Amino acid sequence: MLTETRPQTSGTTTRIDFWWVLAVASVLLASTLLSVFSPDMVTGSAQEHLPIVAMLSWFWGLVAVGYLAFVRATSAGPAFGLSVAILWLGVAVTSIFAPEMITGSDPTQIPIAALVAPILGCLATAFLALNALRNREGR
């Protein structure tokens, strides 16, 4: 009597989780949106425009994606993916629509909220990723 033998597998498969992809995509999309649509810093008597938010926001977005890389695809759940997506939607909206600080006789315009929001979004993403890792380990 011949029996069919199948190779033994460990039972774990690597799959891309939709919620993890949503989290990463939301960070990258928000970084793109706030880089394009955030107000410039305007300085000097000639009112020179410097897209400071566009220059700095990518760094914080990539750091946030680095935190998400530690979570990996298997430990992300719906709460994690939606939390990161809502967080970075808030970062983008704040960076785009928050008023700038206007100071001086040459009206210098500094988009403080647009500069700070990606940093806070990155820190909040780190806390969410840490929480997801703790939940995966059962602590």
Side-chain angles (χ1 to χ4, degrees):
M1 182 172 214
L2 295 172
T3 60
E4 183 179 326
T5 60
R6 294 182 190 166
Q8 294 291 329
T9 60
S10 64
T12 60
T13 58
T14 304
R15 64 181 178 87
I16 302 294
D17 188 20
F18 170 76
W19 301 108
W20 183 78
V21 171
L22 175 70
V24 172
S26 67
V27 171
L28 296 176
L29 180 65
S31 295
T32 302
L33 288 175
L34 66 96
S35 291
V36 172
F37 296 112
S38 289
D40 294 343
M41 183 167 68
V42 181
T43 60
S45 59
Q47 297 293 290
E48 294 100 7
H49 288 253
L50 177 65
I52 189 80
V53 178
M55 295 186 325
L56 296 177
S57 66
W58 282 104
F59 173 75
W60 297 111
L62 290 177
V63 171
V65 169
Y67 288 131
L68 296 176
F70 284 112
V71 176
R72 304 234 172 109
T74 57
S75 67
F80 175 75
L82 289 174
S83 298
V84 173
I86 290 170
L87 169 70
W88 280 89
L89 174 68
V91 167
V93 168
T94 301
S95 295
I96 294 168
F97 294 112
E100 303 111 77
M101 181 178 77
I102 300 174
T103 182
S105 60
D106 290 334
T108 299
Q109 301 172 9
I110 305 170
I112 291 182
L115 290 170
V116 173
I119 298 169
L120 295 178
C122 180
L123 290 173
T125 303
F127 286 122
L128 289 171
L130 217 130
N131 187 37
L133 289 173
R134 285 188 182 166
N135 288 340
R136 181 176 70 178
E137 294 175 4
R139 290 183 182 175

